[in-house]
Amino acid sequence: MAKTAFVTGATGLLGRQVIRAFDHAGWTVVGTGFSRATPPSILKLDLEDQDAIEATLDEIKPQVIIHCAANRFPDKCDLDPDGTRALNIAASRRLALAACSRSVFLLYLSTDYVFSGRPGEAPYEASSTPNPPNLYGQTKLAGEKAVLEVCQNTGLAVVLRVPVLYGHAETNAESAVNVLVDAVWKAAQDKDAQVPMDDWSVRYPTNTEDVARVVVDIASRYLDADEARVAMPKVMQFSAEQRLTKYQMCQIFAEILGLPLSGMVAKGEDKDAKVARPYDTHLSTKVLKDLGVDVRTMDFTDWWYALLRLLSSGLWLTWSIGSGN
């Protein structure tokens, strides 16, 4: 029997790759979105509407739900705290209630920002005690708790934490990594631009294609385990291992593009930042390894070189990234 996956946030950076990965694996896959939904390819679904959620699940009848939808930009979360809580917490609880009442397996995408990231604490195990430094991390942690609480003792819900993501994007602004390419261009065009760039916080940029592959693997393993999944891990973590600051990422982009960085200034810790950022939230992938999941990831520099060299053919950078070529 064909398996069906239901993906929320399917119009987003990660959601699009999750759709592709399930499709490539031979699943029937249905994606939902809201503001950017394009029916019939992507269904429009308001995750604040419990009746709409239940009616859609009853129509699609999926075996698996992948919950990618979230407000995932820390600065935007602080600007709209109520909306952030509604999407990251309340909507996640609604989806879990609908999923568990129908015996549908739910995978909730979370973040490394559930941890404080104080110097000397990383790497964090899946069992490490969370202590989010900002509203974004707090709401994603609350979403984790809501989903696992609703589905407790059923084996029907798991959490997968991931770090900052990059990959094929419709616009560079979709990713905190992709957007750095624009900063490199700005710095190269004007040596007096003095573009400030963080060289303090360390990140582990991870490709959306790798995350999507792992999501499909987890979904398949837990679905095949049937009732035995009750005893399987509830919280997992996935991350690339290459450690980079944003400034170091910019250095890589500049080298690939053959551009100077004279217009960019490396910055240390910003103690006056409006939204607190952690220093190092490196995630351990031990739980996935113990399950037999392949945790290898693409090389950051190699992936970007393959994409950015399209510039040599005269193609505009943003188009190149957005096209998925």
Side-chain angles (χ1 to χ4, degrees):
M1 183 180 71
K3 295 179 288 188
T4 299
F6 181 86
V7 181
T8 71
T11 59
L13 181 75
L14 178 59
R16 292 192 300 270
Q17 285 297 339
V18 170
I19 289 278
R20 293 188 186 105
F22 274 105
D23 183 62
H24 183 72
W27 290 56
T28 298
V29 57
V30 177
T32 71
F34 189 65
S35 61
R36 293 190 290 173
T38 53
S41 58
I42 301 294
L43 303 180
K44 186 168 185 175
L45 177 63
D46 183 357
L47 293 177
E48 294 188 17
D49 186 336
Q50 187 74 38
D51 290 339
I53 292 172
E54 294 183 358
T56 303
L57 292 182
D58 288 340
E59 179 182 353
I60 304 301
K61 294 181 170 54
Q63 285 75 49
V64 170
I65 298 172
I66 310 300
H67 186 27
C68 297
N71 186 344
R72 58 186 177 83
F73 294 100
D75 294 309
K76 291 182 179 180
C77 289
D78 273 31
L79 292 174
D80 183 16
D82 290 340
T84 296
R85 292 187 182 95
L87 180 56
N88 292 359
I89 306 172
S92 300
R93 179 179 289 277
R94 286 189 202 94
L95 199 59
L97 286 166
C100 284
S101 65
R102 290 162 175 76
S103 297
V104 179
F105 179 73
L106 172 65
L107 188 152
Y108 171 89
L109 268 299
S110 191
T111 173
D112 57 340
Y113 270 34
V114 300
F115 296 114
S116 67
R118 287 190 289 262
E121 290 186 352
Y124 293 97
E125 299 296 336
S127 59
S128 295
T129 302
N131 185 17
N134 53 39
L135 180 65
Y136 167 60
Q138 291 163 12
T139 58
K140 289 302 290 181
L141 177 61
E144 288 186 12
K145 292 179 178 179
V147 165
L148 294 178
E149 178 184 282
V150 167
C151 300
Q152 63 181 328
N153 303 321
T154 66
L156 288 172
V158 299
V159 169
L160 178 65
R161 296 172 182 150
V162 296
V164 65
L165 304 178
Y166 70 94
H168 293 295
E170 291 182 350
T171 67
N172 286 347
E174 279 193 309
S175 162
V177 176
N178 290 46
V179 77
L180 298 179
V181 179
D182 294 340
V184 169
W185 274 105
K186 181 179 179 180
Q189 291 169 349
D190 181 3
K191 66 179 181 180
D192 297 320
Q194 298 294 291
V195 177
M197 191 56 59
D198 177 29
D199 197 28
W200 175 75
S201 178
V202 293
R203 313 300 298 273
Y204 300 83
T206 302
N207 195 285
T208 53
E209 293 178 52
D210 289 322
V211 177
R213 184 198 75 241
V214 167
V215 165
V216 173
D217 193 348
I218 292 171
S220 299
R221 289 172 186 270
Y222 276 69
L223 204 60
D224 291 345
D226 200 16
E227 293 182 1
R229 61 177 170 247
V230 172
M232 293 171 71
K234 304 299 183 292
V235 179
M236 290 159 275
Q237 301 179 154
F238 179 62
S239 174
E241 297 299 322
Q242 189 172 2
R243 171 187 171 114
L244 296 166
T245 66
K246 286 188 175 181
Y247 183 73
Q248 289 170 332
M249 294 181 216
C250 288
Q251 288 179 309
I252 291 172
F253 297 151
E255 182 176 352
I256 293 172
L257 294 168
L259 296 173
L261 271 185
S262 52
M264 183 173 287
V265 180
K267 295 290 187 179
E269 180 182 6
D270 184 359
K271 296 182 179 180
D272 296 321
K274 293 181 180 179
V275 178
R277 252 72 169 189
Y279 168 67
D280 182 0
T281 52
H282 188 201
L283 299 173
S284 165
T285 59
K286 183 179 184 301
V287 173
L288 287 177
K289 290 177 182 175
D290 290 346
L291 284 173
V293 175
D294 182 0
V295 297
R296 290 175 295 179
T297 58
M298 298 182 191
D299 180 84
F300 183 83
T301 302
D302 289 348
W303 189 89
W304 279 104
Y305 178 80
L307 186 65
L308 296 181
R309 66 181 179 179
L310 290 177
L311 282 175
S312 62
S313 66
L315 298 177
W316 178 241
L317 179 62
T318 302
W319 180 89
S320 298
I321 292 177
S323 70
N325 289 323

